[in-house]
Amino acid sequence: MKLERTSTTTYTDVISLATAKAHLRVDGTDEDTLITSLISTAGEVVEEYTGQYLSSCSFIYYADHFHEVMRVHAGPGVRITEVEYIKDDGTTATWSSTNWYYDQKSFPMRVQFEHLPTDADDRVNAVRIKGDAGFTAVPSALKSAMLLIIGHLYEHRKDVLVGVQSAPLVHGAKYLMDKFKPS
């Protein structure tokens, strides 16, 4: 099973360049490109760790076959728009929305099928659940986690620092993100 974003996200909508620079106490524009890159990296890390999209986007969830209940780890505000599948004859069909419904209140979000198609192929990624997801307002804890990650990456630009005691990557960021991970 795979979740693929089908629309682009600009993480500077979550943490602006000005906010990141203020957090880093950076004046001037010499490092704007680097800091913008760190904002994107931090956004990707937070999304990967929590399994939730930070801002509105479209997605496709791929599965090899149907189950009566399928869990989609796309984050908050999930709205399923279409369920497609590959039929035994190799063509693509849309499974009618009268045959399924979804539960937006649970995380991960669940799609329950009243009836399963009998002509679904067994191939890899034969089932495609399409939808939209993302926070309308990103929680401050996730923004703070992004800022901690940005700060860590900005200050530690090398894999190894000689003469400095090493520590795992940003414990505080993990702590802030943990409550957003699926259980």
Side-chain angles (χ1 to χ4, degrees):
M1 292 174 257
K2 178 185 178 194
L3 189 66
E4 173 184 72
R5 182 193 316 261
T6 58
S7 62
T8 59
T9 293
T10 305
Y11 295 105
T12 52
D13 292 342
V14 179
I15 298 291
S16 70
L17 177 59
T19 300
K21 287 172 70 172
H23 176 73
L24 298 171
R25 296 186 175 111
V26 171
D27 294 323
T29 60
D30 292 349
E31 296 192 326
D32 284 4
T33 302
L34 170 65
I35 296 168
T36 300
S37 174
L38 296 178
I39 293 169
S40 294
T41 299
E44 290 169 4
V45 167
V46 169
E47 286 185 344
E48 180 70 27
Y49 189 82
T50 64
Q52 300 190 43
Y53 292 128
L54 293 175
S55 58
S56 295
C57 66
S58 299
F59 68 86
I60 301 175
Y61 176 79
Y62 296 93
D64 297 343
H65 40 75
F66 281 99
H67 298 281
E68 187 176 307
V69 175
M70 298 178 77
R71 298 178 187 279
V72 179
H73 297 263
V78 177
R79 185 176 66 85
I80 302 300
T81 57
E82 184 176 59
V83 175
E84 288 182 342
Y85 68 100
I86 299 174
K87 295 168 52 173
D88 288 330
D89 65 7
T91 61
T92 301
T94 301
W95 195 233
S96 171
S97 61
T98 60
N99 294 318
W100 54 269
Y101 62 92
Y102 61 98
D103 171 16
Q104 284 184 292
K105 294 180 182 180
S106 64
F107 183 75
M109 187 275 300
R110 299 174 297 171
V111 181
Q112 182 165 359
F113 292 92
E114 294 292 320
H115 307 285
L116 298 176
T118 58
D119 60 346
D121 196 357
D122 248 356
R123 72 178 68 188
V124 173
N125 297 327
V127 179
R128 298 172 190 139
I129 299 174
K130 298 180 179 183
D132 302 307
F135 287 102
T136 52
V138 178
S140 59
L142 294 180
K143 289 181 180 183
S144 294
M146 282 182 68
L147 288 170
L148 287 172
I149 293 166
I150 291 165
H152 180 82
L153 294 173
Y154 183 80
E155 291 298 325
H156 302 97
R157 299 183 197 189
K158 297 179 181 176
D159 283 340
V160 178
L161 301 173
V162 177
V164 177
Q165 187 175 355
S166 65
L169 175 65
V170 196
H171 282 296
K174 282 185 176 183
Y175 172 78
L176 292 169
M177 294 184 290
D178 275 344
K179 72 178 185 177
F180 296 94
K181 286 182 75 168
S183 49

